[in-house]
Amino acid sequence: MEFLQQNIIWVALAFVSGGMLVWPMVAGGTVAHLTPAEATLLMNREDALVLDVRETGEWGSGHIHGARHITLGQLGTRMSEIEKFKEKPIIVVCATGNRSTSACGQLKKGGFGKVYSLGGGISSWIDANLPLTTKS
């Protein structure tokens, strides 16, 4: 008991970090993150849908060819637009990978089974010297 009192901050930190590790399991599982190379293979071999959840300005500055654009804020109300892709792999893309992880959770709750996040987002795509387009 004396140890706990003297080290309350460290004990609290241990509980918080443990909670952060457990949270993804409680909140609906973890999301698979793909490298740009893995994403490209999935697009070419399994005709995966690329879903870009960035804001309109980000989308306009360049996106993956053939991607669909539905912002994260609109995903809940526009999910019916991609309903026909429920059985196909979906690669969700954002700027750095944070919003895409959230979108993957929404898609899984919506019944989409093969959902992946592009690890590092569009930034990792650019770093891999892969092309972007500004055409819709």
Side-chain angles (χ1 to χ4, degrees), residues 92-130:
V92 186
V93 179
C94 68
T96 60
N98 293 327
R99 288 176 282 180
S100 61
T101 301
S102 176
C104 286
Q106 287 185 43
L107 290 169
K108 283 185 175 186
K109 287 180 182 176
F112 292 83
K114 300 175 186 174
V115 180
Y116 307 91
S117 173
L118 179 62
I122 206 78
S123 298
S124 68
W125 189 267
I126 293 167
D127 290 345
N129 293 317
L130 292 168

